[in-house]
Amino acid sequence: MFARGLKRKCVGHEEDVEGALAGLKTVSSYSLQRQSLLDMSLVKLQLCHMLVEPNLCRSVLIANTVRQIQEEMTQDGTWRAVAPQAAERAPLDHLVSTEILCRAAWGQEGAHPAPGLGDGHTQGPVSDLCPVTSAQAPRHLQSSAWEMDGPRENRGSFHKSLDQIFETLETKNPSCMEELFSDVDSPYYDLDTVLTGMMGGARPGPCEGLEGLAPATPGPSSSCKSDLGELDHVVEILVET
Amino acid sequence: MGEDTDTRKINHSFLRDHSYVTEADIISTVEFNHTGELLATGDKGGRVVIFQREPESKNAPHSQGEYDVYSTFQSHEPEFDYLKSLEIEEKINKIKWLPQQNAAHSLLSTNDKTIKLWKITERDKRPEGYNLKDEEGKLKDLSTVTSLQVPVLKPMDLMVEVSPRRIFANGHTYHINSISVNSDCETYMSADDLRINLWHLAITDRSFNIVDIKPANMEDLTEVITASEFHPHHCNLFVYSSSKGSLRLCDMRAAALCDKHSKLFEEPEDPSNRSFFSEIISSVSDVKFSHSGRYMLTRDYLTVKVWDLNMEARPIETYQVHDYLRSKLCSLYENDCIFDKFECAWNGSDSVIMTGAYNNFFRMFDRNTKRDVTLEASRESSKPRAVLKPRRVCVGGKRRRDDISVDSLDFTKKILHTAWHPAENIIAIAATNNLYIFQDKYSQRTHQALYGGLCTHHLIHPHSHLIKRIL
């Protein structure tokens, strides 16, 4: 009886295991596909044509796809599983750096039409926002994480990267770009120079106007937070809320 | 300065075989004028080529009404926006003809940022017999002038002159995707990704914003305008489509800013077909009112749909253009083909609709008989005066001899731009840098269905000004 039970159990167990394995395979292959779609989409968002403005419709559609995947992964609970371990820190940084690159390129969108054309949008406060976002970037890199928001950093950072992509569509930052290009001979982007400028600690921050906020040390999160608070204050003043 | 030249152009210029395409020659828009006598094409290099239909002559019955080059001009030049450090492409996105009001023809052409009004006039006479100038225009020696004459107009070889009459600039922050002339013939609208502006044809320094879907926070942006058009008869109505697959009919009498639509046309999503790509493939790439004004035609990635203006809940007809691509969406997303914007067109009587696809195929759907056909625009399959052979894409199962399998489709050969003569069964198909004009074999004057067959009219190379008459 014991043997029979055992056999049955074994058979049942095997079937269960097989079933579970098959199930796992389906689930994991779906997750893999979904993850690769997410990666592909993020790459698409970040690969910006340097010389011509990227297609807004395409970018919006890709961003919506990314959001969809993110939402589903959050519901699954698999989003949290993608926590940046020490090993995976590098890819995140890479993500950050290329996203910043994209941001710098995209920051050119959003210039307003000539005044008096029935379009009453003002761009003053918005254009001043750019130095804020660009200066934040090197600081983030220095502290090597988007860890401002604490435990929600993954979702937050991800959200932030998407949001920042769209924020930059709004910002017009001629002064920023001048600073960025000040050391570059050619009038066009030099990818490596920009990347070096953003990543390297040796070079000063791109916007000298905010030198006071430039990263000095990889300080504890508290100093970053106070800087962030200061930035918020600055932003508040700028947008006159 | 030359270091960072456009890599697209570099890639193409190294190819040597005759099938290589100069990027600038890629046709980006095709449009018949209101009588069908003229056909305008715009290309990526900012040029416009206008073809004119030759009047039928009894002497040469085979060349009935063929289209010859009438005029070529550079409409837009590449610009550099120094403020944003970005190039503004010279590619002509759309051309729209103005209704003809006198001997001259006028059209609007637009790139991403600037719309231009061009006037096309003919000169076939010139004054001769000046008193003070000789034939070459040099001043005469007055001592040789013994009598006075009245200059007379003498016929000369036809000269077509094109001049820019208006330049409508600085109206758009984002890229212009559509222009549409109002039935009042005085105003027109231009739409970019987030805004639609109304212009008066005579006023260039001012435009009125009639639609603005830009969110206060760009972070909240999830939807853009993809196409828009004025109603053909009601000058107060226009429609615009979105990247989420919806259509909004707006009435300009309701408010100055038409942010609230009068009607919203949206088909509920089919839950069984839901995927991560559902939204992308639902994005409407083109919208066209029927000639009657009663219906709208929309194109999304896999289908064309006919909507009745009186029914907002769903389209009255849906036609599958290439449903076999549904299982390939991930690959098409990877190579960006899923973002291709195909146009659609009605025939003159609104009984047949047409749209392009891949592999230089284009599709036609007869709304009455519910029959459809796939044809190919390619040199190999277009013998002179021969009737085009219907093509078929096989998706497994029985495969006939000339079928093409889905995997052998050439996704670089896409027919995005097509146009239908307003009255006759003549269609213009832009296949990369080639323009094909096909004509109904049997009837040129009636609006019969096209199953008598389409025959190749002629094949045109706009950029080299060669008309290869396939005879």
Side-chain angles (χ1 to χ4, degrees):
Chain A
M1 195 155 131
F2 174 72
R4 247 189 292 148
L6 194 61
K7 265 192 197 166
R8 244 187 279 130
K9 222 179 176 180
C10 272
V11 167
H13 180 62
E14 273 172 17
E15 278 176 1
D16 281 346
V17 165
E18 275 172 17
L21 270 176
L24 263 176
K25 274 185 194 156
T26 332
V27 166
S28 67
S29 78
Y30 174 78
S31 308
L32 277 173
Q33 280 178 14
R34 184 175 62 184
Q35 184 64 44
S36 83
L37 182 63
L38 178 63
D39 296 337
M40 199 199 306
S41 305
L42 289 172
V43 167
K44 278 182 184 297
L45 278 176
Q46 291 162 8
L47 278 177
C48 312
H49 290 281
M50 294 301 168
L51 292 178
V52 183
E53 276 177 276
N55 185 335
L56 185 61
C57 181
R58 175 180 173 273
S59 309
V60 167
L61 288 173
I62 298 172
N64 289 351
T65 309
V66 168
R67 274 200 199 98
Q68 243 185 297
I69 298 174
Q70 179 208 347
E71 272 165 25
E72 195 181 281
M73 287 174 88
T74 311
Q75 280 169 10
D76 283 352
T78 47
W79 187 251
R80 284 191 182 279
V82 188
Q85 308 300 324
E88 288 172 335
R89 190 140 289 184
L92 251 181
D93 281 348
H94 177 69
L95 194 79
V96 163
S97 65
T98 51
E99 188 274 329
I100 288 161
L101 188 67
C102 187
R103 202 187 331 135
W106 286 32
Q108 297 311 314
E109 283 190 350
H112 59 86
L117 281 176
D119 186 336
H121 296 256
T122 53
Q123 297 281 317
V126 174
S127 62
D128 293 323
L129 278 174
C130 162
V132 170
T133 52
S134 297
Q136 260 181 325
R139 204 155 11 89
H140 285 174
L141 288 171
Q142 293 276 347
S143 56
S144 75
W146 301 76
E147 276 163 36
M148 310 296 184
D149 298 332
R152 279 177 66 252
E153 81 257 21
N154 295 320
R155 210 182 314 157
S157 71
F158 177 79
H159 215 50
K160 217 180 271 188
S161 67
L162 250 190
D163 291 345
Q164 266 158 339
I165 285 170
F166 284 116
E167 241 173 59
T168 60
L169 295 177
E170 179 77 351
T171 58
K172 175 182 71 165
N173 54 346
S175 59
C176 244
M177 297 318 296
E178 277 168 29
E179 295 299 338
L180 211 52
F181 289 150
S182 58
D183 286 28
V184 177
D185 287 334
S186 99
Y188 296 96
Y189 263 114
D190 185 344
L191 235 121
D192 294 334
T193 311
V194 176
L195 200 54
T196 320
M198 287 295 198
M199 295 279 300
R203 293 191 69 188
C207 299
E208 59 183 354
L210 288 159
E211 254 169 5
L213 297 173
T217 54
S221 53
S222 58
S223 73
C224 288
K225 276 189 179 142
S226 66
D227 282 346
L228 189 65
E230 223 177 287
L231 271 171
D232 277 348
H233 185 57
V234 170
V235 168
E236 267 177 26
I237 294 170
L238 289 171
V239 300
E240 293 171 354
T241 47
Chain B
M1 176 120 168
E3 248 180 39
D4 294 67
T5 40
D6 193 343
T7 52
R8 299 170 300 181
K9 295 200 169 91
I10 288 177
N11 285 338
H12 285 291
S13 65
F14 284 136
L15 295 170
R16 284 282 170 250
D17 68 291
H18 70 91
S19 66
Y20 103 94
V21 173
T22 311
E23 183 104 359
D25 295 333
I26 295 175
I27 300 171
S28 49
T29 187
V30 186
E31 188 82 5
F32 280 100
N33 77 336
H34 296 277
T35 60
E37 183 209 351
L38 299 175
L39 174 67
T41 63
D43 65 22
K44 265 191 131 178
R47 287 164 303 195
V48 172
V49 181
I50 302 176
F51 301 89
Q52 184 186 43
R53 194 176 186 196
E54 296 305 319
E56 292 177 29
S57 76
K58 299 219 162 67
N59 300 333
H62 286 296
S63 63
Q64 307 162 12
E66 283 200 349
Y67 284 84
D68 289 330
V69 176
Y70 179 64
S71 173
T72 305
F73 61 95
Q74 186 75 33
S75 170
H76 286 72
E77 297 277 359
E79 285 171 44
F80 192 76
D81 183 338
Y82 291 95
L83 200 63
K84 299 196 220 169
S85 295
L86 287 169
E87 273 187 11
I88 298 172
E89 286 188 321
E90 68 274 30
K91 173 170 74 98
I92 308 294
N93 291 338
K94 280 284 170 353
I95 291 175
K96 284 284 145 84
W97 290 92
L98 267 55
Q100 195 178 5
Q101 286 171 335
N102 49 41
H105 292 100
S106 301
L107 60 78
L108 289 169
S109 68
T110 185
N111 69 347
D112 283 338
K113 297 285 186 178
T114 304
I115 306 131
K116 294 188 184 179
L117 174 65
W118 294 89
K119 193 162 176 188
I120 301 131
T121 49
E122 287 184 2
R123 190 193 291 270
D124 60 356
K125 297 180 191 50
R126 67 155 181 240
E128 276 180 21
Y130 282 106
N131 290 296
L132 299 177
K133 290 188 290 185
D134 65 15
E135 293 303 313
E136 280 102 48
K138 285 192 302 196
L139 285 174
K140 279 184 190 171
D141 181 359
L142 284 177
S143 58
T144 64
V145 178
T146 53
S147 62
L148 290 176
Q149 56 183 349
V150 178
V152 290
L153 289 173
K154 294 253 173 83
M156 59 179 255
D157 287 340
L158 180 66
M159 200 161 71
V160 179
E161 295 172 338
V162 181
S163 62
R165 281 296 204 240
R166 307 264 189 274
I167 296 181
F168 304 91
N170 300 319
H172 288 277
T173 305
Y174 303 97
H175 291 179
I176 298 173
N177 53 54
S178 327
I179 48 175
S180 178
V181 183
N182 204 346
S183 51
D184 65 7
C185 301
E186 286 186 355
T187 58
Y188 76 95
M189 70 158 149
S190 56
D192 65 30
D193 295 311
L194 297 177
R195 298 193 181 101
I196 302 182
N197 291 338
L198 182 72
W199 304 80
H200 191 285
L201 284 164
I203 300 170
T204 58
D205 61 356
R206 196 185 325 167
S207 75
F208 294 96
N209 179 241
I210 54 177
V211 173
D212 189 338
I213 65 167
K214 184 176 171 197
N217 247 331
M218 278 299 268
E219 306 161 17
D220 301 331
L221 179 66
T222 56
E223 193 173 10
V224 300
I225 298 169
T226 51
S228 73
E229 198 183 42
F230 267 120
H231 192 279
H233 310 309
H234 303 301
C235 57
N236 56 302
L237 289 181
F238 66 92
V239 68
Y240 71 90
S241 60
S242 84
S243 56
K244 286 199 171 170
S246 65
L247 296 171
R248 283 172 173 80
L249 187 73
C250 300
D251 189 336
M252 293 198 292
R253 295 173 304 189
L257 187 63
C258 301
D259 274 355
K260 286 204 175 73
H261 49 263
S262 297
K263 291 194 182 183
L264 171 64
F265 299 81
E266 211 169 21
E267 186 172 23
E269 205 183 343
D270 177 6
S272 64
N273 263 336
R274 177 132 185 79
S275 74
F276 285 122
F277 306 110
S278 297
E279 186 187 308
I280 300 180
I281 62 170
S282 74
S283 173
V284 175
S285 52
D286 193 18
V287 62
K288 294 261 168 53
F289 278 104
S290 64
H291 291 92
S292 62
R294 167 103 191 258
Y295 304 104
M296 296 181 295
L297 180 65
T298 59
R299 174 71 154 99
D300 52 60
Y301 192 62
L302 297 179
T303 69
V304 279
K305 293 177 176 159
V306 178
W307 302 77
D308 187 322
L309 254 65
N310 299 319
M311 187 162 83
E312 301 165 64
R314 66 187 156 278
I316 56 169
E317 293 157 31
T318 301
Y319 301 95
Q320 301 294 332
V321 180
H322 38 206
D323 200 56
Y324 44 78
L325 296 182
R326 199 177 284 273
S327 55
K328 311 255 173 220
L329 290 179
C330 197
S331 315
L332 294 165
Y333 179 75
E334 193 174 7
N335 63 18
D336 266 12
C337 281
I338 208 174
F339 301 108
D340 286 335
K341 295 195 176 211
F342 293 94
E343 291 170 10
C344 52
W346 297 91
N347 75 336
S349 60
D350 300 335
S351 59
V352 184
I353 55 188
M354 165 172 75
T355 188
Y358 293 107
N359 210 75
N360 279 348
F361 288 168
F362 59 99
R363 303 262 283 136
M364 285 197 238
F365 304 90
D366 188 317
R367 298 178 60 214
N368 301 324
T369 66
K370 299 302 179 196
R371 285 165 65 189
D372 63 85
V373 69
T374 304
L375 299 168
E376 183 177 359
S378 80
R379 285 197 239 192
E380 290 78 36
S381 57
S382 303
K383 286 197 195 126
R385 299 284 143 196
V387 175
L388 287 180
K389 199 176 53 174
R391 306 305 310 266
R392 212 173 86 109
V393 178
C394 74
V395 284
K398 269 184 139 183
R399 189 188 158 152
R400 293 183 215 155
R401 194 164 51 110
D402 289 324
D403 282 4
I404 302 218
S405 77
V406 182
D407 298 309
S408 0
L409 289 174
D410 188 344
F411 289 96
T412 63
K413 294 188 179 159
K414 43 194 103 178
I415 293 185
L416 303 172
H417 312 288
T418 60
W420 206 308
H421 189 287
E424 300 181 28
N425 281 338
I426 301 174
I427 58 176
I429 309 280
T432 318
N433 65 328
N434 293 326
L435 180 71
Y436 291 80
I437 300 183
F438 299 110
Q439 190 169 332
D440 190 346
K441 186 169 114 158
Y442 291 138
S443 79
Q444 291 169 24
R445 297 259 171 254
T446 70
H447 303 152
Q448 288 171 4
L450 288 165
Y451 297 100
L454 279 178
C455 65
T456 307
H457 204 51
H458 51 271
L459 164 63
I460 296 169
H461 262 291
H463 83 276
S464 56
H465 305 285
L466 272 177
I467 301 169
K468 292 188 178 180
R469 216 147 278 171
I470 306 172
L471 290 170

